[in-house]
Amino acid sequence: FGDPDDAGSPTLTTAMQEFTFNVPVTGNTLSVQVRIEQNGGSEEIAFDHVQDTGVVAIGNPPVLANIEGAALSYSEGDAATPVTSTLTVTDPDSTDLKGATIQITSGNDPSEDVLAALALPAGITAAPYNSASGTLILTGTASLADYQTALRAVTYANTDATNPSTGTRTVRFQATDGDGNPSNLQSR
């Protein structure tokens, strides 16, 4: 037996009490259909016990949301200012993250722009800021709540107090979960 339309379907060749097979995950819904055909006829099968064993890895990415829509208010000489206070972090199938990348994606002036993250939650560390690419990288396995706190702790500062570049900057956030799935992008 086996599904003649699906070469990868399990094939039944002998009498059985238990039949085990792997089901590839292709979304959030699992559908198993059993059809028995013999000599042009078909049989209906009633199941009184179906057991799922093992772990199903869905592989959904984390989700960043709710960043402010308005531009960050920053004036010449201001102290380092948090980029966001409303960004949220969720993940439908993971309770922790392993990293995040924050980058000035437009308007970066390497001679004066600085992103930093001070007072990070335990388990999260910030690599030295890369001024040439405008990138700050956070690493370490920590809870979603801790990463949300860390991302909200990211600050922007302009180190040129006498004649700073006044162009608009865009700062982009992205996180990665323990399975290596990158989140969506959120920018301000």
Side-chain angles (χ1 to χ4, degrees):
F1 297 118
D3 184 347
D5 299 325
D6 181 2
S9 71
T11 301
L12 202 62
T13 57
T14 60
M16 65 171 196
Q17 295 253 343
E18 181 177 319
F19 188 59
T20 303
F21 58 94
N22 292 323
V23 178
V25 176
T26 57
N28 293 335
T29 304
L30 172 64
S31 176
V32 177
Q33 178 183 20
V34 176
R35 180 178 66 199
I36 297 178
E37 295 182 19
Q38 183 176 9
N39 299 328
S42 64
E43 286 287 324
E44 288 186 28
I45 299 175
F47 294 95
D48 61 0
H49 179 73
V50 176
Q51 182 178 3
D52 174 26
T53 58
V55 176
V56 177
I58 301 296
N60 289 314
V63 177
L64 302 182
N66 300 316
I67 199 164
E68 296 89 335
L72 176 66
S73 177
Y74 188 87
S75 299
E76 178 179 333
D78 280 355
T81 303
V83 176
T84 180
S85 63
T86 61
L87 183 70
T88 57
V89 179
T90 59
D91 192 317
D93 64 354
S94 183
T95 59
D96 57 24
L97 297 178
K98 71 173 187 178
T101 301
I102 305 91
Q103 183 177 26
I104 300 173
T105 57
S106 68
N108 181 43
D109 186 332
S111 67
E112 54 191 61
D113 292 337
V114 177
L115 294 176
L118 305 175
L120 292 169
I124 302 173
T125 57
Y129 176 66
N130 182 325
S131 61
S133 66
T135 304
L136 178 66
I137 296 175
L138 306 180
T139 58
T141 300
S143 71
L144 299 174
D146 283 347
Y147 262 96
Q148 179 172 292
T149 298
L151 293 174
R152 290 179 179 183
V154 171
T155 60
Y156 168 81
N158 188 307
T159 59
D160 186 341
T162 58
N163 191 22
S165 167
T166 59
T168 301
R169 276 81 162 164
T170 301
V171 178
R172 180 179 72 194
F173 294 80
Q174 185 172 41
T176 305
D177 68 15
D179 296 324
N181 298 311
S183 73
N184 60 310
L185 304 173
Q186 285 282 283
S187 297
R188 181 173 193 201

